[in-house]
Amino acid sequence: MCLVTSLAACGLINGSDETTQPPETPLADEMICGVFPNRDLQNILGFDTYWYSYSTSPTENVSTGASGYSYRCDMESARDPFGLIEIRYGIDSTLSPSAGQPVLFDEIPTAFPDTARETSFEGVEGEGWVWTDGVEIYVAWRYDDTQVLLARLTYWGPEEDLDEQVERFHTVLEPALAQIPELASATSTRVVVPSPTPVAEDTATGNDD
């Protein structure tokens, strides 16, 4: 049972719980999820964002007493060739990729022996792994303060282009990984773009004239 109380509890990589209809054209926001320049997502990775959501909050494991901060980001594209980017950052070292059993950070190379390889990010202290699993590209990073980040990108392009997309994903993530801890420790935030359509209030109040 997960005992982490945060918006990114258990470090899960899941789809969004929002139901807003995405726009017909990519978003023109300058920044996506607070740390990703939209132009870099488009020009470097080729990822057009149609919807995104991100949140930050303090987090605590009530079993161990460990505390820290969480950051969660979900971006959705048009599935041509990318579907989504998901980022989870928090204090839990147990990672949950979209398929298969949860895996500890230190177990990544044995859980994905065919594709896992060590990676590094300039200006970010810690250690990390990158691997692919089917149409999914994963990056896991453990910061020096032991907080852990898991990023996932779904890609449906030609298989021969997969290695190139891994490198492009790395390039887009590099500056963001340096900024996420600071953003996560700031004021708790919840942002959804486009904003969900408010539920219409019941105006049938039974007024007596």
Side-chain angles (χ1 to χ4, degrees):
M1 178 179 296
C2 176
L3 298 176
V4 179
T5 55
S6 75
L7 289 172
C10 300
L12 296 176
I13 286 288
N14 291 326
S16 165
D17 56 3
E18 303 295 336
T19 58
T20 304
Q21 185 69 23
E24 295 182 357
T25 57
L27 298 173
D29 297 40
E30 183 176 347
M31 297 294 293
I32 306 296
C33 285
V35 293
F36 293 94
N38 199 358
R39 64 179 181 275
D40 288 351
L41 290 169
Q42 293 175 329
N43 297 337
I44 297 174
L45 187 58
F47 188 97
D48 290 327
T49 305
Y50 287 77
W51 177 95
Y52 71 91
S53 168
Y54 79 95
S55 60
T56 62
S57 70
T59 183
E60 180 180 0
N61 186 310
V62 297
S63 177
T64 66
S67 62
Y69 298 94
S70 71
Y71 168 86
R72 170 175 175 161
C73 166
D74 297 276
M75 312 177 207
E76 293 185 2
S77 191
R79 297 180 179 268
D80 186 21
F82 302 107
L84 54 85
I85 292 175
E86 295 177 339
I87 313 288
R88 302 291 184 269
Y89 164 82
I91 61 175
D92 196 345
S93 61
T94 300
L95 309 176
S96 296
S98 63
Q101 297 296 317
V103 59
L104 291 172
F105 181 89
D106 290 327
E107 296 174 347
I108 290 171
T110 55
F112 304 96
D114 295 332
T115 62
R117 66 178 188 269
E118 291 185 89
T119 190
S120 61
F121 292 90
E122 184 176 352
V124 186
E125 298 296 327
E127 56 184 330
W129 296 94
V130 59
W131 71 96
T132 58
D133 187 11
V135 299
E136 300 171 325
I137 300 169
Y138 288 95
V139 174
W141 186 259
R142 181 163 59 193
Y143 293 81
D144 276 358
D145 63 0
T146 72
Q147 293 226 173
V148 176
L149 178 144
L150 179 63
R152 175 167 75 110
L153 168 68
T154 56
Y155 170 71
W156 287 282
E159 185 174 349
E160 59 268 22
D161 293 342
L162 186 59
D163 288 342
E164 180 180 355
Q165 296 306 334
V166 169
E167 294 303 318
R168 291 182 177 184
F169 193 34
H170 183 283
T171 299
V172 167
L173 284 174
E174 190 162 65
L177 260 64
Q179 300 172 45
I180 285 173
E182 181 178 357
L183 179 62
S185 63
T187 304
S188 296
T189 303
R190 171 66 167 164
V191 175
V192 180
V193 180
S195 298
T197 303
V199 177
E201 293 184 2
D202 184 4
T203 56
T205 56
N207 293 334
D208 294 327
D209 294 331

